[in-house]
């Protein structure tokens, strides 16, 4: 029997930046014209990760920090689906940091949205990798995921938006979705999404954000200049937002899925050959 689940209502605190992210994601999904059963939204654990409960499409709530490898598995076993991965800065840049680096390196066609509030919101505001030095006695420096992405030669789409600038965020979301849809690789979109309860950066970020695309001479196709510009902006105490970099590198699925291979999700699980293989594998495990 086919059962359809109704999306839940957001459980975020009033004023949380994540509301804007969900609204804009839904708008982008609607205007893309792709049917909802062709989308899958996977998330990690955290306030940000609960977005998966609220959106009408296939979904999966992965382990903390493990949303990217799970999303890559979903993409490779069903390349026809548009895969969106999402989570917080703790999920993506702390426990999940290794997976972020390897996803930048392997370039799967996935849209990855990180809702960065510079703290662990769900567990009551502990410092995250993007918290500034001094926040709740944090002794570490902060991480800039865009600079990290720029340092890896196979990245193809790096952008940062702000929940307080919804029009710009919508453009970036649409561009990121198109990049993924076209099979061009990982579209990485970090959204500055303030946590009004534990670390309210809304006003501060409104003053500090600087859209690189406001400068018409800025070329998102030039990695070295993008690195230089982002470093300069950070050095001036500002936060660079906008489409920072867009380049080309073969996507993971185009390199490892051959055209005559039937993806796992489309194989006939009743086929005797597959059943036999399955039993052989299980028996090997059972000894
Ligand atoms: C393996 C594991 N370690 C730790 C936790 C506890 N935990 C849950 S969410 C979270 C961090 C959430 O921060 P972030 O990813 O930034 O999301 P936010 O809540 O800020 O949106 C932590 C440490 C967990 N659920 N699983
Ligand atoms: S605790 Fe912070 S991140 Fe979590 S829902 Fe509330 S405002 Fe948003
Ligand atoms: Mg967070």
């Amino acid at each position: 029997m086919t059962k359809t689940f109704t999306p839940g209502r957001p459980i975020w605190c009033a004023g949380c930046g994540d509301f804007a992210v969900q609204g804009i994601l839904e708008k982008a999904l609607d205007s893309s014209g792709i049917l909802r059963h062709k989308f899958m939204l996977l998330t990690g654990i955290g306030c940000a990760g609960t977005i998966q409960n609220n959106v009408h499409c296939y979904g999966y709530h992965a382990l903390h920090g493990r949303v990217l490898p799970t999303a890559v598995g979903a993409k490779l076993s069903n390349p026809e689906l548009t895969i969106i991965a999402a989570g917080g800065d703790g999920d993506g840049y702390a426990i999940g940091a290794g997976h972020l680096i390897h996803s930048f390196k392997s370039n799967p066609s996935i849209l990855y949205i990180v809702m960065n509030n510079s703290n662990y919101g769900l567990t009551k505001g502990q410092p995250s990798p993007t918290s500034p030095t001094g926040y709740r006695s944090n002794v570490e420096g902060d991480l800039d995921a865009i600079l990290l992405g720029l340092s890896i030669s196979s990245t193809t789409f790096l952008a940062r938006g702000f929940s307080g600038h919804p029009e710009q965020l919508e453009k970036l979301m649409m561009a990121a979705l198109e990049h993924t849809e076209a099979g061009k690789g990982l579209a990485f979109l970090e959204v500055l999404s303030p946590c009004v309860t534990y670390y309210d950066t809304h006003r501060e970020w409104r003053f500090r954000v600087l859209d690189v695309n406001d400068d018409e001479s800025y070329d998102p196709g030039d990695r070295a200049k993008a690195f230089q510009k982002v470093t300069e902006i950070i050095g001036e105490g500002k936060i660079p937002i906008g489409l920072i970099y867009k380049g080309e590198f073969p996507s993971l699925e185009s390199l490892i899925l051959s055209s005559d291979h039937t993806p796992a999700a489309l194989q006939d699980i009743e086929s005797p050959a597959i059943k036999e293989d399955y039993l052989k594998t299980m028996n090997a495990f059972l000894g």
Side-chain angles (χ1 to χ4, degrees), residues 11-19 46-48 50 115 117 119-125 193-199:
I11 53 165
W12 298 310
C13 310
C16 177
D18 296 352
F19 281 102
C47 294
T50 65
M115 285 161 260
N117 54 19
N119 81 110
Y120 291 174
L122 188 75
T123 49
K124 301 193 175 199
S193 178
C195 168
V196 292
T197 300
Y198 294 109
Y199 185 27

Side-chain angles (χ1 to χ4, degrees), residues 44-61:
I45 304 297
C47 294
T50 65
I51 194 172
Q52 187 267 315
N53 305 335
N54 315 332
V55 180
H56 193 196
C57 60
Y58 284 116
Y60 189 85
H61 220 127

Side-chain angles (χ1 to χ4, degrees), residues 255-267:
L255 292 176
I256 68 166
L257 294 180
S258 66
S259 53
D260 58 352
H261 168 82
T262 310
L266 302 178
Q267 287 186 18

